[in-house]
Amino acid sequence: MKLRKYFSAMLAFVLTLLMCTPAFGENLNNDGAQTTKEILIYEVYDGLYRTVKARSATNTIRISPSAQFEDIYSSTEQNQYYQKTNDDEFVKVSKVEFNLTDYDAFTDIQKYNIPAEVLDGITTMAAWAESTGNPNAKGVIFATNESTRSGTPNTFPKLTTKWNGMTFYHYRAYFTGLWTSWQTIASKGQTTASTLNGIKDLAVFAAGAASGTIGTAAKIYSGGRTCIEAWKNITGKTPIYGNTANKVMVDIKYDMYLKYTYFYDPALKMERLGCSSQRAYVEQVDTDTYMYTSTGGSRAEDTVYPRVDYRSPNYNNPEETAYDFHAIGWVETVKGKIHNTTILFNFPNFTRPSDWP
């Protein structure tokens, strides 16, 4: 039975790659509202809000979806955030932003009763920010901060969905302002004409339990040029290919979203993590190419802004996979590749040290 479910999930993944087109170009770095998707809500009772269906409704609140955070809405009139908790309900939440590498801030967020697996994911990203030299990277969660009939303070709200008559809960954590750190793509004898002409794109693929290319490749040089074309365009010189001083480096700025989907097991009356998925938003790519010439070394630096969104295969619709693998957990990650160099957006495998909070 488990083997059949596994092949069923893999088939669903292949069909996803063949049939689905990811959403690209979403402005995830604008925390303002998308006014074209405004909706009206009203307070049903203390702390619980629903969408307005009758034109005669009074005391309504106009909210818009955040351009950056999923299932989060904001009211500019109230300067207030609301989180969607199912198809028709919302609760008031506060944006909790913290420095990823700040030990005290990381300790403080644990008061929000975050599920253990989600907290482990935040820990992983904190350690990743530390290891890649990202002191300004931020973590973001949304939490309740007041006691109401619909909830208690210091809780980590979840989105509830249904699939095939079953219940699923989704939790998210957001990470902004991350950099991969400078990665060497080619150096010394690797800097042949063929290799330099092949360095052009960032490809993004799914890894872990799923595999395969996701989305379209992002250009890493202005005008879609190759590495050598960009270098010649900037310097106006001719390189000595394969020189021991030659080096091509890339640094990528991105946001990372972690999503955890739990199947509610009615027999055990508990949430069971079935699917962990990821989303990466590539905002900026910096390149630094140093090539030796007959007159000495010459450097070409370039910056492009792809603003491309990449989602692992089950990020948008994880329910079926979460059910099929709720006994063992399905984990899929997002990685990049430039020429023959793998670009990591977080730890592929990470064990939380026992002495960490």
Side-chain angles (χ1 to χ4, degrees):
M1 179 63 73
K2 289 183 179 178
L3 186 61
R4 186 171 63 200
K5 288 181 178 180
Y6 174 81
F7 284 119
S8 174
M10 289 305 297
L11 177 60
F13 166 57
V14 172
L15 291 174
T16 298
L17 292 180
L18 293 174
M19 301 174 61
C20 297
T21 303
F24 298 120
E26 184 179 9
N27 182 9
L28 300 183
N29 287 316
N30 175 8
D31 198 20
Q34 298 175 348
T35 55
T36 57
K37 296 182 180 179
E38 288 184 334
I39 61 174
L40 291 177
I41 60 173
Y42 71 102
E43 191 169 21
V44 181
Y45 57 79
D46 187 23
L48 179 68
Y49 298 80
R50 290 200 176 117
T51 54
V52 173
K53 301 194 184 316
R55 293 184 179 181
S56 59
T58 59
N59 298 320
T60 60
I61 302 168
R62 188 178 302 275
I63 60 174
S64 301
S66 167
Q68 185 174 19
F69 303 108
E70 297 170 345
D71 298 318
I72 299 297
Y73 292 70
S74 62
S75 167
T76 54
E77 295 177 356
Q78 296 180 320
N79 192 28
Q80 174 66 54
Y81 286 104
Y82 297 85
Q83 179 169 330
K84 186 176 183 179
T85 54
N86 63 42
D87 284 342
D88 193 41
E89 294 183 347
F90 302 79
V91 295
K92 278 185 180 181
V93 289
S94 295
K95 179 182 178 182
V96 180
E97 185 176 63
F98 54 97
N99 191 309
L100 265 183
T101 58
D102 185 335
Y103 179 89
D104 291 336
F106 176 74
T107 302
D108 186 59
I109 66 168
Q110 296 183 52
K111 69 184 180 184
Y112 295 109
N113 299 311
I114 300 171
E117 296 89 351
V118 182
L119 189 61
D120 282 344
I122 296 173
T123 303
T124 296
M125 293 306 299
W128 179 248
E130 179 94 27
S131 69
T132 51
N134 279 244
N136 298 317
K138 304 291 184 183
V140 177
I141 61 172
F142 288 84
T144 60
N145 62 357
E146 59 184 33
S147 180
T148 66
R149 288 176 59 192
S150 62
T152 58
N154 298 338
T155 60
F156 189 54
K158 58 197 175 189
L159 172 67
T160 301
T161 61
K162 299 283 187 179
W163 177 81
N164 205 22
M166 293 173 285
T167 301
F168 299 85
Y169 300 125
H170 310 266
Y171 300 89
R172 292 187 180 93
Y174 310 91
F175 309 91
T176 63
L178 292 160
W179 288 88
T180 58
S181 77
W182 285 103
Q183 306 290 307
T184 299
I185 307 302
S187 63
K188 302 179 180 179
Q190 299 170 329
T191 55
T192 63
S194 175
T195 296
L196 295 176
N197 273 302
I199 300 173
K200 181 180 181 179
D201 302 318
L202 165 69
V204 179
F205 60 96
S211 62
T213 302
I214 49 178
T216 59
K219 307 303 179 184
I220 63 174
Y221 295 100
S222 299
R225 297 179 175 89
T226 66
C227 175
I228 191 61
E229 289 171 342
W231 184 86
K232 287 181 176 179
N233 182 69
I234 293 171
T235 66
K237 298 182 179 181
T238 301
I240 299 176
Y241 296 106
N243 188 278
T244 57
N246 293 352
K247 198 169 190 179
V248 180
M249 301 188 72
V250 173
D251 196 4
I252 300 171
K253 184 180 182 182
Y254 63 102
D255 293 346
M256 185 60 126
Y257 295 4
L258 303 185
K259 182 176 181 179
Y260 298 84
T261 301
Y262 292 76
F263 162 66
Y264 179 74
D265 190 327
L268 298 178
K269 296 183 179 180
M270 64 180 293
E271 299 176 20
R272 305 182 67 180
L273 179 62
C275 181
S276 301
S277 53
Q278 297 181 357
R279 173 182 178 180
Y281 174 74
V282 177
E283 179 185 358
Q284 178 179 332
V285 179
D286 291 347
T287 52
D288 186 354
T289 305
Y290 182 88
M291 303 289 287
Y292 205 74
T293 73
S294 59
T295 58
S298 188
R299 168 172 272 112
E301 297 174 300
D302 196 6
T303 297
V304 295
Y305 300 90
R307 298 190 175 95
V308 181
D309 179 40
Y310 297 99
R311 308 181 187 201
S312 63
N314 289 286
Y315 187 88
N316 286 348
N317 299 289
E319 287 86 354
E320 183 173 2
T321 298
Y323 173 70
D324 287 342
F325 293 91
H326 69 266
I328 57 175
W330 174 276
V331 180
E332 52 192 34
T333 60
V334 176
K335 295 182 182 179
K337 193 170 188 178
I338 298 177
H339 193 53
N340 293 322
T341 302
T342 298
I343 307 295
L344 300 178
F345 297 117
N346 60 357
F347 279 114
N349 297 292
F350 177 81
T351 301
R352 177 175 173 149
S354 59
D355 59 342
W356 282 25

